[in-house]
Amino acid sequence: MSALKDVRRFPSFCYNCVSGPDFLQVKVEDGVAVEVEPNFKAADIHPGRGRPCVKAYGLVQKTYNPHRILTPMKRTNPKKGIKENPGFTPISWDEAFDIIAARLNAIKAKGLIDESGAPRLAASFGHGGTPANYMGSFPAFLAAWGPIDYSFGSGQGVKCTHSEHLYGEFWHRAFTVAADTPRCNYLISCGANVEVTGGPTAVIRHADARVRGYKRVHVEPHLSITASCSAEWVPIRPKTDPAFLFALIHVLVCEHGTQKLDLPFLRDRTASPYLIGPDGFYLRDADSEKPLVFDTVSGCAVAHDAPGAVPAVDGRYKVSRAITIGPDGARENFADIEAPTAHETLIEHMAGYSPEWAEQICDVPAKTIRRIANEYLEAATIGATIEIDGQTLPLRPVAVTLGKSVNNGWGAYECCWARTVLAALVGALENPGGLLGTTLRINKPQDNRHKSAKPGEDGFMVQYFNPTSAEAWEHTPTTRNLHRSLVPIVGRNGGWSQALGPTQLAWLLSEKVPDDWNFPQPTYPELWFVFRSNPAISFWQTRELAASIAKFPFMVAFAYTLDETNAMADILLPDATDFETNQLIKISNTKYMEHFWRHTGVVLRAKAVEPQGDARDFSWISGELARRVGLLEKYVTQLNRGVGGVAPLKSETYDFSLDPAVAPKPEEIWDAACKAATAALSGGTACHGLDWFREHGFWATPMSELEWYLTPTLAQQGLRYELPYQERLMRVGQELGNRLHEKNMRWWDEQLAEYVALPGWHDIPGRWTRALENAGCAPENFPFWLLSTKSMQYHSGGNAGIALMDEVSQNLHGHTGVMMNADTAAKLGIAEGDRVEVRSQIGATYGRAALMQGVRPDTIVILGQFDHWATPYIKDQERASLNTIAPMSIELTDATGSGADIVRVAVRRMERAAP
Ligand SMILES: Nc1nc2c(c(=O)[nH]1)N[C@H]1C(S)=C(S)[C@@H](COP(=O)(O)OP(=O)(O)OC[C@H]3O[C@@H](n4cnc5c(=O)[nH]c(N)nc54)[C@H](O)[C@@H]3O)O[C@H]1N2
Ligand SMILES: Nc1nc2c(c(=O)[nH]1)N[C@H]1C(S)=C(S)[C@@H](COP(=O)(O)OP(=O)(O)OC[C@H]3O[C@@H](n4cnc5c(=O)[nH]c(N)nc54)[C@H](O)[C@@H]3O)O[C@H]1N2
Ligand code: SF4
Ligand SMILES: [Mo]
C-alpha cells in the first residue's frame, strides 16, 4: 500500500497569450504539478468565469518538458548560423553572471548610447507584451539601467493588430478594439477570429450573445472557426476589406442620408461640423486659431466650442474670413468662401464607393453589401437609451471589428478609419452595445483610459505624436527601427512606442540601407537580451532573419528549451517558469481583446512547485544582475516606485518599501507588492501579504461597467472624437515629408502617401503583384494568396514544443497542413493528404494538403508560425509556414510601419499521400 499522497492546490493565472489573464489552479501531488484546473472561486469576477483555455492545460507538460534548458549554458562554437551547432556547455550561474556583467560594465564605461545615437543594450520580449507577466522584477532592472533599444521585434506589433493599436489609441484610446459583446446585437467582423484568439472570455461572451439572438456576419477569405460559428460567412477577396467597408459607409451617408444617422453624436462628439478650407485644412478663427463650425442659431461661422452654438453637420456655408494652418505653421488667409463641413466632404468622397463598385473589387455581391449596411443601420437603434448604474446612455448595439490581417500593412489605415467612422455615424463609438476600446499602451496612465482622455488641440483629446517640426524632428534616430523619426503617431511613450515601431526596418537596415539613406549608419546592439520571443520563426523571411541574428555581437537568451533564435545566443539562462515562481499582476477595467472586467484588483501566479534543475526565478536573477553591474540601489528604488509590481511600495498611508542596500529575495519583493497593491487599491481597507495570496489567489473590488465606455468622459469635457476628417494626420504627414526631403531621402515616399484627410481606395492587392514585378517575377506564376490564421491550441510559436498541443491539433482538419479549396486542388491534381510545395518568389515551404470548401478558390491558408529547425519535438514534424516564404520589404510596409501576413504563391504536388 502506498502512503497517502500530499495533494495541494495553488491559485495561478495563465497569460501566455494576450487574451489573458485567465485564472486557474494547479494541482500538486507530492511536489509535482499534475493537473491544471479551473479556479471556480473566481467564477464571479473573472470574465472567463475562472476558466483557462486548452493551451493552459499544456503547462504541466511544459514544466516537465524533457528538453528544458536546466542550467546556464555558454556557447563554445564561435561561428553562428542555422547549420552551426552552438556547442552549448553547462556553466554555473556565477560564471554566467560574470560573463554578462563584464559585458554590461564595459557598456556602462563606454556610455549607454553608441556613435549612431542608438542604445548599446537591446532587448526583445515577444508575443504582444505577455512576457512581462512572467519576468518578475526584471522591469525594475531594465528601468534602473536606462536607455534600451526594443527595436528588434518578432512580428508582434507590426504583424499584430498594428494599425488598430496606433489609430485606435489616437481616435478612442483603444489599443485593442472589441464589440460590447454582452449588449451588441449586430456584429460585422472582418477577420477578427475571436472564437480562436479571444480566449475563454470571448468564447463565453459570444456564445451568450448568440443565445440572446445577436447576429455576427463574418467577412473572411476562409471559413475560420469564428466564421463557422457565425450567422453568415462572407468570403471576401483578400486585401479588399477597405472597399467593402467604404461601400457600407456609402450606403449610410449617400443612400440613407444624414437625417437617418445619429445627428447629435456627429454634431457634438465628432469633428463632422468642422468647416474645411479650399486647401483641405480646417478653417480657423484668425485670432484664436480654433476650427470653425457653422452655427445654425446665429447663421454664421463660429469657433467649434462657442457657447450656445448648434453646429450644422452637413452642407456648405459662406465664411467671410478665416485662416488655415498647414504644415510647418504655414498660414493661409481666406475671405468670402463657401466651405463644406467635414461630414459634407465625407459624403462627396464616398459618392463613388457604391456596393456595385465594391462588388467588382471584393467579390461580394452588391446586394449582400447593401443588405448588411441596412441591417447594421437598423440594428443600431438610433435614439434608444439604456440605464447603467443610474446613468442613462445611448444604446447602439452594433459594431465592426477587424482581425490582425486586415489591421496591418497596406489597407489597414483605410479599414481602421472606415470601421471607426461606421461606429461614429450611428453613435456606436464607445457607447453601450457598440465599438469599445480595451486597454492603453501608448498613452498614459496605461490602466485608465478615462484619465488619459485629457483636452488637447482643436477640441480633441491630447495626443503625444513624435515631433515633425524642423526644430524637433529626430534626425539622429534613438532606436534602430526609427520609430520616432518615421512614425509620428506611434508616440514617444517609452518601451511600448518603440516596440510598436517598424521593427522589420531594424532587421532590414542591419543588412542594407536604401541608396538615398541619410541617417547615421545603423549599428548592431552590443548586447541583446531575448525572452519568450522567437523572431527567427515568427517574423518574415525567417531564414534570412536568422542569418542577421547570427551577426549580432553578443546575445543573452532566457531559455526554456532551445529555439531557432536562442540557438544563436552566447549565453542561455534558464528561467523558472509558469508554475515555478510567484508574480502579482493587476486585473482591472479592460485588458486586451474581450477582457472587460466588472472588478479591479490583483491576481497572483503562485509558486506551486520547485523549479526544475537549476532554473531560477527572474526576480532573483534581476537582483543578482543589478548587484553585479552596480545598479542595486537604483534597482530597489525602481521596485519601491512600483516598477514590476502593481503599486508603489510606499505612500502617505503605508510603507512596505525595501532596503536599497541589499538585493531583496523574491518572496520579500512579492510580499511587499501584495501588501502595497491591496492597500493602494482598497484605499487602506485591505492589506494582504504573499501568504494570503498564495491561499486565496486574487483580491478584487467591484467596478462599474460605466468604466467600459469612453464617450461619457469625452462629453463631460466637451471633447470630440477626431473623426471623420484627418486634418492633423495630413499636416503631420506633409511635415514628415518635408523633413525627409530636406535630407534628400525619398525611400519613405510611398508611405507618406497614406497621410490623407479622407482615405480612398487605391489598388491594395495590386501592391503585391507590383512587388513581384519589381522583384523581376511574373505575377501570373504566383496565382494564389497565402494567408495565415491562428489556432486555439497555440499561442504564436510559444508552445510549439509541447507535444500535447500537437496531439489535440490533429483533431482539427487542416491544422497541421496546407488548407486549400477542393476544386482548386482537383485542378492541380492534388488529393487530400498529398505533400505539396507552396512557393513564393523567395522560397518554398512544404506540408500536407487539407482540402475543403470553406476557403476561397484563390486562397491558401497555413496556420500559425512553424517550420522549426531547432525547437525540440516540433522540429521533427513537417509543418509549412508562411513566414519562411513571405518577403520582408519596405515596399510592403505601410505608413505606420506594419505589414500583413500575406504573400502571393504557387502550389504544386510533391508526393502522393500514403494510401
Ligand atoms: N505566420 C504567422 N506569423 C506570425 C503570426 C501569425 O499569426 N502567423 N502572429 C504574429 C503575432 S500577432 C505575434 S504577437 C508574434 C509573436 O511571436 P513571438 O514574439 O516570437 O512569440 P512566441 O512565438 O510566443 O514566442 C516564442 C518563444 O518563447 C519561448 N518560450 C515559451 N515559454 C517560455 C518560458 O517560459 N521561458 C522562456 N525563456 N521562453 C519561453 C518559446 O520557446 C519560443 O521560442 O508572431 C507573429 N508572427
Ligand atoms: N489562441 C490564440 N489566441 C491568440 C493568439 C495566439 O497566438 N493564439 N495571439 C494573440 C495575438 S498576439 C494577436 S495579435 C491576436 C490576433 O487575433 P486575430 O486577428 O483573431 O488572429 P487570426 O486568427 O490570425 O485571424 C486573422 C484572420 O484574418 C483572416 N484574413 C487574412 N487576410 C484577410 C483579408 O484580407 N481580409 C479578411 N477579412 N480577413 C483576412 C485570416 O483568414 C485569419 O483567420 O490573437 C491573440 N490571441
Ligand atoms: S486564452 Fe488561454 S493561453 Fe491565452 S491567457 Fe487565457 S488561458 Fe492562457
Ligand atoms: Mo500579436
Side-chain angles (χ1 to χ4, degrees):
M1 284 267 299
S2 65
L4 278 184
K5 287 190 164 155
D6 173 29
V7 179
R8 297 173 197 212
R9 287 182 167 79
F10 294 89
S12 190
F13 62 77
C14 174
Y15 212 152
N16 275 293
C17 85
V18 300
S19 290
D22 289 321
F23 289 18
L24 55 89
Q25 52 186 14
V26 190
K27 184 176 165 191
V28 177
E29 282 183 6
D30 292 339
V32 176
V34 292
E35 249 177 79
V36 164
E37 298 171 342
N39 183 355
F40 288 126
K41 284 183 213 138
D44 295 333
I45 72 130
H46 171 238
R49 298 190 199 149
R51 283 176 271 206
C53 83
V54 54
K55 296 183 276 308
Y57 290 88
L59 292 174
V60 172
Q61 219 175 57
K62 175 177 178 182
T63 310
Y64 304 109
N65 185 337
H67 304 291
R68 267 186 79 170
I69 306 282
L70 293 176
T71 66
M73 302 267 217
K74 179 170 78 177
R75 181 184 201 90
T76 54
N77 180 359
K79 283 205 217 124
K80 295 182 178 181
I82 295 174
K83 301 228 164 69
E84 295 295 335
N85 180 345
F88 285 124
T89 176
I91 52 171
S92 67
W93 276 97
D94 258 334
E95 189 181 346
F97 282 133
D98 284 345
I99 297 170
I100 300 166
R103 294 264 169 179
L104 290 173
N105 284 325
I107 291 176
K108 271 177 73 187
K110 276 194 276 188
L112 302 185
I113 305 292
D114 73 12
E115 63 284 0
S116 78
R120 292 187 203 270
L121 179 62
S124 298
F125 308 123
H127 198 95
T130 54
N133 304 297
Y134 296 92
M135 60 167 79
S137 61
F138 199 55
F141 171 81
L142 299 172
W145 174 266
I148 296 173
D149 192 358
Y150 295 99
S151 280
F152 294 93
S154 57
Q156 60 156 335
V158 297
K159 282 176 150 210
C160 277
T161 58
H162 191 257
S163 290
E164 173 163 299
H165 290 339
L166 273 46
Y167 293 111
E169 285 225 11
F170 170 51
W171 286 318
H172 58 127
R173 295 295 194 256
F175 183 71
T176 54
V177 177
D180 187 13
T181 314
R183 298 197 167 92
C184 186
N185 286 331
Y186 193 83
L187 174 62
I188 303 167
S189 134
C190 293
N193 196 10
V194 283
E195 302 280 355
V196 160
T197 55
T201 299
V203 171
I204 290 170
R205 280 166 42 113
H206 287 264
D208 288 350
R210 280 194 293 275
V211 170
R212 216 169 22 75
Y214 103 136
K215 177 172 180 180
R216 183 173 64 209
V217 178
H218 197 72
V219 183
E220 193 175 33
H222 89 283
L223 188 76
S224 62
I225 292 188
T226 307
S228 62
C229 45
S230 296
E232 184 175 349
W233 172 43
V234 179
I236 194 168
R237 183 175 282 147
K239 284 286 131 198
T240 64
D241 298 70
F244 172 79
L245 295 169
F246 287 173
L248 298 183
I249 297 179
H250 170 97
V251 175
L252 262 54
V253 302
C254 301
E255 297 184 7
H256 286 282
T258 317
Q259 296 306 315
K260 296 269 189 65
L261 306 175
D262 192 333
L263 268 177
F265 188 90
L266 292 174
R267 185 188 63 216
D268 302 331
R269 291 285 75 78
T270 73
S272 299
Y274 286 16
L275 295 168
I276 309 298
D279 59 358
F281 291 97
Y282 290 145
L283 286 178
R284 295 166 184 274
D285 179 86
D287 300 323
S288 69
E289 298 186 349
K290 288 181 179 179
L292 297 175
V293 297
F294 183 80
D295 177 19
T296 55
V297 179
S298 63
C300 51
V302 298
H304 66 85
D305 56 355
V310 180
V313 170
D314 55 6
R316 303 180 153 266
Y317 300 94
K318 292 225 164 14
V319 180
S320 53
R321 193 173 148 256
I323 61 157
T324 59
I325 303 181
D328 297 323
R331 280 166 78 108
E332 293 281 341
N333 287 290
F334 294 97
D336 298 324
I337 50 168
E338 198 186 64
T341 66
H343 185 76
E344 188 68 25
T345 62
L346 176 73
I347 298 171
E348 290 163 13
H349 183 72
M350 286 293 149
Y353 299 141
S354 67
E356 287 69 21
W357 164 84
E359 173 174 344
Q360 304 303 315
I361 291 169
C362 55
D363 196 22
V364 179
K367 70 173 192 323
T368 305
I369 301 176
R370 189 167 279 110
R371 173 179 51 78
I372 291 171
N374 292 339
E375 287 173 357
Y376 175 85
L377 181 60
E378 190 179 342
T381 61
I382 294 170
T385 57
I386 183 174
E387 202 187 292
I388 300 175
D389 291 343
Q391 202 171 321
T392 302
L393 295 176
L395 176 67
R396 301 286 183 276
V398 293
V400 181
T401 52
L402 309 176
K404 76 176 253 293
S405 300
V406 290
N407 239 317
N408 46 38
W410 294 111
Y413 169 45
E414 290 79 1
C415 287
C416 288
W417 173 84
R419 74 92 178 271
T420 319
V421 166
L422 278 163
L425 290 173
V426 297
L429 186 59
E430 296 287 347
N431 269 326
L435 185 78
L436 309 182
T438 35
T439 210
L440 286 182
R441 289 293 172 252
I442 299 174
N443 286 282
K444 284 183 179 169
Q446 286 188 343
D447 63 352
N448 196 317
R449 301 165 66 222
H450 299 271
K451 286 191 185 147
S452 80
K454 300 225 172 67
E457 289 167 31
D458 295 345
F460 304 127
M461 284 182 279
V462 64
Q463 304 293 348
Y464 300 98
F465 279 27
N466 292 310
T468 45
S469 68
E471 310 76 54
W473 180 65
E474 195 173 273
H475 179 237
T476 301
T478 47
T479 61
R480 292 175 182 82
N481 70 31
L482 307 154
H483 79 287
R484 294 191 60 168
S485 307
L486 292 182
V487 191
I489 194 177
V490 79
R492 43 197 158 96
N493 185 2
W496 273 96
S497 291
Q498 276 199 46
L500 290 163
T503 55
Q504 67 275 41
L505 290 188
W507 294 110
L508 287 167
L509 301 172
S510 77
E511 291 293 323
K512 187 179 181 296
V513 294
D515 293 339
D516 56 346
W517 181 256
N518 199 356
F519 286 118
Q521 197 58 27
T523 55
Y524 289 113
E526 288 183 25
L527 194 149
W528 185 36
F529 280 121
V530 182
F531 173 51
R532 281 189 184 238
S533 194
N534 194 4
I537 286 294
S538 305
F539 224 143
W540 300 295
Q541 207 160 340
T542 39
R543 294 298 192 274
E544 281 80 354
L545 190 139
S548 303
I549 293 178
K551 296 180 192 158
F552 279 38
F554 198 80
M555 173 181 174
V556 177
F558 296 93
Y560 146 70
T561 64
L562 209 60
D563 71 25
E564 291 60 27
T565 300
N566 68 30
M568 313 284 177
D570 295 277
I571 298 286
L572 299 179
L573 298 177
D575 50 301
T577 183
D578 306 64
F579 300 157
E580 298 171 338
T581 56
N582 293 302
Q583 183 166 352
L584 187 81
I585 62 163
K586 183 133 188 237
I587 48 173
S588 88
N589 305 8
T590 55
K591 287 273 183 180
Y592 305 104
M593 312 287 280
E594 298 245 353
H595 259 256
F596 291 81
W597 294 72
R598 294 184 175 89
H599 292 79
T600 182
V602 278
V603 57
L604 182 76
R605 181 166 55 77
K607 176 175 172 179
V609 294
E610 287 304 318
Q612 292 289 293
D614 208 9
R616 296 284 174 98
D617 190 327
F618 243 110
S619 300
W620 174 81
I621 298 172
S622 309
E624 281 301 300
L625 215 47
R627 196 169 61 77
R628 287 167 197 249
V629 290
L631 290 174
L632 185 58
E633 196 178 328
K634 281 191 180 167
Y635 162 73
V636 181
T637 304
Q638 293 296 339
L639 285 175
N640 285 338
R641 280 191 189 150
V643 175
V646 170
L649 301 184
K650 184 177 177 182
S651 78
E652 279 173 11
T653 53
Y654 61 79
D655 185 359
F656 306 109
S657 54
L658 300 162
D659 177 1
V662 277
K665 295 194 179 74
E667 292 72 24
E668 291 166 351
I669 297 174
W670 296 111
D671 188 51
C674 289
K675 288 175 177 153
T678 39
L681 292 172
S682 69
T685 60
C687 182
H688 301 298
L690 182 59
D691 288 341
W692 185 92
F693 272 93
R694 288 178 53 78
E695 190 185 336
H696 295 91
F698 60 91
W699 180 90
T701 180
M703 188 197 72
S704 170
E705 282 176 23
L706 291 169
E707 294 286 330
W708 300 354
Y709 309 109
L710 193 66
T711 293
T713 302
L714 259 70
Q716 274 160 22
Q717 303 179 78
L719 295 176
R720 299 169 185 273
Y721 294 108
E722 200 155 345
L723 290 161
Y725 198 85
Q726 302 308 311
E727 196 237 20
R728 183 199 303 254
L729 290 179
M730 182 168 71
R731 181 185 310 106
V732 157
Q734 291 178 11
E735 289 180 357
L736 178 60
N738 291 348
R739 301 294 85 80
L740 289 164
H741 297 163
E742 281 156 11
K743 298 287 175 194
N744 300 318
M745 287 189 275
R746 293 270 166 195
W747 62 276
W748 196 247
D749 274 11
E750 275 288 298
Q751 285 73 15
L752 294 176
E754 206 171 87
Y755 292 92
V756 288
L758 290 171
W761 175 253
H762 47 107
D763 183 9
I764 292 158
R767 286 181 183 270
W768 275 261
T769 25
R770 244 182 294 144
L772 280 172
E773 284 160 2
N774 293 344
C777 302
E780 58 275 19
N781 291 342
F782 301 94
F784 300 106
W785 288 107
L786 171 63
L787 308 179
S788 154
T789 189
K790 290 181 181 271
S791 99
M792 189 51 114
Q793 286 69 38
Y794 288 98
H795 48 85
S796 299
N799 54 349
I802 298 175
L804 181 66
M805 293 299 111
D806 191 31
E807 196 183 318
V808 178
S809 306
Q810 307 288 341
N811 298 322
L812 290 145
H813 186 213
H815 192 298
T816 57
V818 175
M819 292 177 250
M820 57 192 302
N821 182 282
D823 302 340
T824 303
K827 283 184 199 144
L828 297 170
I830 294 170
E832 177 75 27
D834 285 355
R835 186 165 177 267
V836 295
E837 176 193 81
V838 184
R839 180 170 285 282
S840 77
Q841 90 256 33
I842 64 159
T845 186
Y846 301 87
R848 300 274 159 192
L851 311 189
M852 49 192 70
Q853 287 300 332
V855 56
R856 287 176 57 90
D858 59 1
T859 300
I860 312 289
V861 182
I862 297 176
L863 196 143
Q865 50 225 79
F866 290 96
D867 200 8
H868 295 73
W869 65 86
T871 302
Y873 178 76
I874 198 69
K875 75 175 165 52
D876 302 321
Q877 325 293 321
E878 186 176 65
R879 294 280 182 277
S881 183
L882 174 140
N883 296 345
T884 313
I885 61 168
M888 183 179 268
S889 79
I890 295 177
E891 197 177 6
L892 293 174
T893 298
D894 73 2
T896 67
S898 72
D901 279 334
I902 189 161
V903 57
R904 300 291 297 175
V905 295
V907 184
R908 68 177 174 128
R909 193 185 74 216
M910 303 301 286
E911 294 102 42
R912 279 266 179 235

